[in-house]
Amino acid sequence: FTESKKEMPSLAKAWAYFEHFALPRYVVSDGEGLDSAEPGEEHLPTKLYNPFCTPHKQLGDWGLGVGLYFTTLRALCILTFLGGIVSIPNIIYFSSDDYSGGQEGVRAPMKGSAICTDTTWVLCTDCKDNEYPDGRIGYGINVDSGANETFAQRNNCDGATIEQGMINLGALALISVGLLIMNFTIKRVEVQFDIDEQTAQDYSIVVANPPLDAYDPAEWRKFFYQKFGAYVTTCTVGVDNDLLVNSLVERREKLKLIESKLEPGTS
């Protein structure tokens, strides 16, 4: 092969390599579904997966774990959205004048929460500093007796009403039932992803406790046919072959490294 020539770094080539080798792409076809393209596919037209329009059933193309992750994420988004809808009456009440005078001084993202800004200082003879958060304990002089007294900041908001409690209970029940349904749905989706992605692993078995003298692949082929009526396509008998497997992996890595240093089209 010809000696590789050094070229100046090219941002365009780097982006092209990134888009065609690192980012996931699918083969453009007229059939239903999206078939995942191999990295660096040159013979068939390919496109990048659309992050918004890719069908949910295609998420298993990146592996079972990725598909289940996004399935769970979608289910949790739906659950929290429904929980928020159920809690709207509480949000309206907490942000109203009836609860805390409109929650003056509370930032917009926290408006509608149970934060109470309607407070008064009351005498507390047995209060200690370590029993309350910072700012909730104060000290002053009693105008009647002239003695130093301890005061505590008390909330005047009425947030523990039956109506608010029932709404919170309803939201909790919705989330609990939703989690049970989500668990059932994820198990069903896991089976569907596994069926859609056919790999050699789906048709492979491993015998972990073979007889010590079972070295002949032909014997194994005969055993599976007579016992289960199964036709064995490939049979590998591995006996203390860790060194061999590691050597094959190292060989493949070396070949990949050599190929990466050759110019395109070099054979």
Side-chain angles (χ1 to χ4, degrees):
F1 54 88
T2 58
E3 184 178 355
S4 177
K5 298 179 181 179
K6 293 184 178 180
E7 297 182 3
M8 294 296 294
S10 172
L11 184 59
K13 290 183 178 181
W15 272 113
Y17 182 89
F18 177 70
E19 287 190 2
H20 288 270
F21 284 84
L23 296 181
R25 304 176 72 90
Y26 66 92
V27 177
V28 179
S29 63
D30 298 331
E32 295 183 0
L34 306 178
D35 295 327
S36 180
E38 293 293 331
E41 175 63 56
E42 297 178 354
H43 305 289
L44 298 174
T46 63
K47 283 186 177 180
L48 293 171
Y49 282 92
N50 191 304
F52 300 103
C53 301
T54 299
H56 175 262
K57 62 181 181 180
Q58 299 290 152
L59 296 178
D61 293 350
W62 294 278
L64 191 61
V66 175
L68 294 180
Y69 167 78
F70 284 103
T71 301
T72 305
L73 185 64
R74 184 180 67 171
L76 291 177
C77 289
I78 295 174
L79 271 179
T80 52
F81 177 74
L82 294 177
I85 292 178
V86 173
S87 301
I88 286 179
N90 275 0
I91 296 174
I92 295 175
Y93 171 72
F94 289 141
S95 60
S96 66
D97 293 338
D98 296 334
Y99 175 71
S100 183
Q103 293 184 323
E104 183 179 355
V106 177
R107 294 179 297 176
M110 301 300 295
K111 285 275 190 180
S113 64
I115 295 177
C116 180
T117 57
D118 182 12
T119 60
T120 55
W121 290 95
V122 295
L123 182 64
C124 184
T125 57
D126 58 349
C127 292
K128 299 179 181 179
D129 290 340
N130 56 1
E131 293 180 351
Y132 299 92
D134 294 340
R136 304 290 293 186
I137 296 294
Y139 303 93
I141 298 177
N142 192 323
V143 294
D144 297 328
S145 62
N148 290 327
E149 301 284 1
T150 302
F151 294 86
Q153 195 176 34
R154 182 181 67 183
N155 292 336
N156 298 323
C157 304
D158 187 12
T161 64
I162 294 296
E163 181 180 357
Q164 273 62 59
M166 294 303 295
I167 292 175
N168 288 335
L169 185 62
L172 178 61
L174 174 66
I175 297 296
S176 300
V177 174
L179 289 175
L180 294 177
I181 297 176
M182 183 185 73
N183 184 52
F184 171 79
T185 302
I186 288 177
K187 290 182 178 179
R188 181 173 56 83
V189 171
E190 179 181 3
V191 174
Q192 187 62 43
F193 281 154
D194 187 54
I195 294 175
D196 290 342
E197 298 302 318
Q198 298 294 323
T199 62
Q201 183 179 2
D202 297 324
Y203 305 95
S204 304
I205 62 172
V206 176
V207 180
N209 57 340
L212 297 179
D213 58 346
Y215 299 133
D216 188 4
E219 183 181 355
W220 281 106
R221 184 177 287 107
K222 181 180 178 180
F223 168 76
F224 282 113
Y225 178 74
Q226 292 179 347
K227 188 72 174 179
F228 306 103
Y231 292 92
V232 178
T233 302
T234 303
C235 179
T236 301
V237 179
V239 182
D240 293 334
N241 62 344
D242 293 348
L243 180 60
L244 173 61
V245 173
N246 292 334
S247 299
L248 291 174
V249 172
E250 184 179 0
R251 175 181 178 273
R252 183 172 59 183
E253 292 176 349
K254 297 295 184 183
L255 288 175
K256 289 285 187 182
L257 180 61
I258 294 174
E259 291 176 357
S260 67
K261 293 182 179 298
L262 297 177
E263 291 185 349
T266 302
S267 59

